[in-house]
């Protein structure tokens, strides 16, 4: 029988942290007009849904999709754009919303790409950060939790499309 992934961060702890992040973002952008939230598909869709509904400032939702180039099954660090945002971000405040920062290559690519379009600002928000796996230094302006080097699923994150809709963040042990 398949075991449920071990709980790393509970549903309650996620909700409490998302509340805090939304309060901080709402206060930081209170005088800036509309904030463009750019959710990175697929992993960030649940985090973005919860975060965006807790903001108290005007907001506009966009999505973007990327994929990592692989050499065999080993990520090469190169990132490819699969789906772009629909709106122009010129002159607007942008917040990239990611599920997890691992090596940092994805976020680094997205920051550079969006910066090149003349926005008023680009900041980043990630629910999770695997601190010790960083290959490219990227600043996460709004971070939920720092975790270790383990594969996590749930709350939008998957392992080969499994466990994406678990309500909590769980750890998968490949040899279970
Ligand atoms: P990076 O470019 O190495 O920072 O990769 C980040 C992307 O890899 C994330 O947006 C996720 O889609 C995926 N990823 C990295 N670690 C995990 C994990 O533990 N669980 C699920 N997805 C992950
Ligand atoms: Mg992601």
């Amino acid at each position: 029988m398949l075991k449920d992934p071990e709980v790393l961060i509970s549903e309650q702890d996620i909700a409490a942290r998302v509340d805090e992040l939304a309060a901080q973002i709402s206060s930081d952008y209170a005088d800036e007009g509309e904030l463009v939230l750019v959710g990175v598909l697929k992993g960030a869709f649940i985090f973005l849904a919860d975060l965006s509904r807790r903001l108290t400032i005007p907001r506009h939702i966009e999505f973007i999709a990327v994929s990592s180039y692989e050499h065999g099954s080993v990520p090469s660090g190169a990132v490819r754009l699969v789906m772009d945002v629909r709106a122009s971000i010129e002159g607007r405040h942008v917040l990239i919303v990611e599920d997890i920062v691992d090596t940092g290559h994805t976020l680094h690519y997205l920051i550079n790409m969006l910066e090149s379009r003349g926005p008023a600002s680009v900041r980043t928000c990630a629910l999770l950060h695997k601190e010790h796996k960083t290959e490219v230094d990227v600043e996460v302006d709004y971070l939920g939790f720092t975790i270790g080097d383990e594969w996590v699923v749930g709350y939008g994150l998957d392992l080969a499309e499994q466990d994406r809709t678990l309500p909590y963040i769980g750890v998968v042990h490949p040899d279970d």
Side-chain angles (χ1 to χ4, degrees), residues 27-76:
S27 137
D28 290 356
Y29 288 90
D31 301 323
E32 305 298 341
E34 191 175 67
L35 177 63
V36 181
L37 298 165
V38 177
V40 185
L41 293 174
K42 303 177 191 170
F45 83 111
I46 294 178
F47 180 39
L48 177 69
D50 284 347
L51 183 76
S52 60
R53 287 180 294 172
R54 287 166 165 93
L55 296 175
T56 57
I57 51 171
R59 74 221 71 143
H60 172 113
I61 309 294
E62 289 288 331
F63 286 102
I64 206 161
V66 292
S67 87
S68 304
Y69 281 112
E70 297 191 355
H71 293 311
S73 60
V74 183
S76 65

Side-chain angles (χ1 to χ4, degrees), residues 40-44 66 97-101 106 157:
V40 185
L41 293 174
K42 303 177 191 170
V66 292
V97 180
E98 249 290 36
D99 52 356
I100 185 166
V101 180
T106 303
L157 295 106

Side-chain angles (χ1 to χ4, degrees), residues 54-136:
R54 287 166 165 93
L55 296 175
T56 57
I57 51 171
R59 74 221 71 143
H60 172 113
I61 309 294
E62 289 288 331
F63 286 102
I64 206 161
V66 292
S67 87
S68 304
Y69 281 112
E70 297 191 355
H71 293 311
S73 60
V74 183
S76 65
V79 178
R80 181 170 61 97
L81 185 67
V82 171
M83 188 193 90
D84 206 342
V85 294
R86 290 203 187 178
S88 167
I89 57 164
E90 195 179 343
R92 305 172 80 179
H93 291 287
V94 173
L95 183 64
I96 302 171
V97 180
E98 249 290 36
D99 52 356
I100 185 166
V101 180
D102 185 0
T103 63
H105 287 292
T106 303
L107 203 52
H108 180 77
Y109 169 88
L110 289 175
I111 293 168
N112 287 338
M113 193 193 74
L114 295 175
E115 285 277 13
S116 74
R117 298 179 183 180
S121 70
V122 176
R123 282 187 189 161
T124 57
C125 176
L127 182 68
L128 305 169
H129 187 195
K130 287 185 193 174
E131 208 177 20
H132 298 295
K133 290 201 64 190
T134 306
E135 289 175 13
V136 195

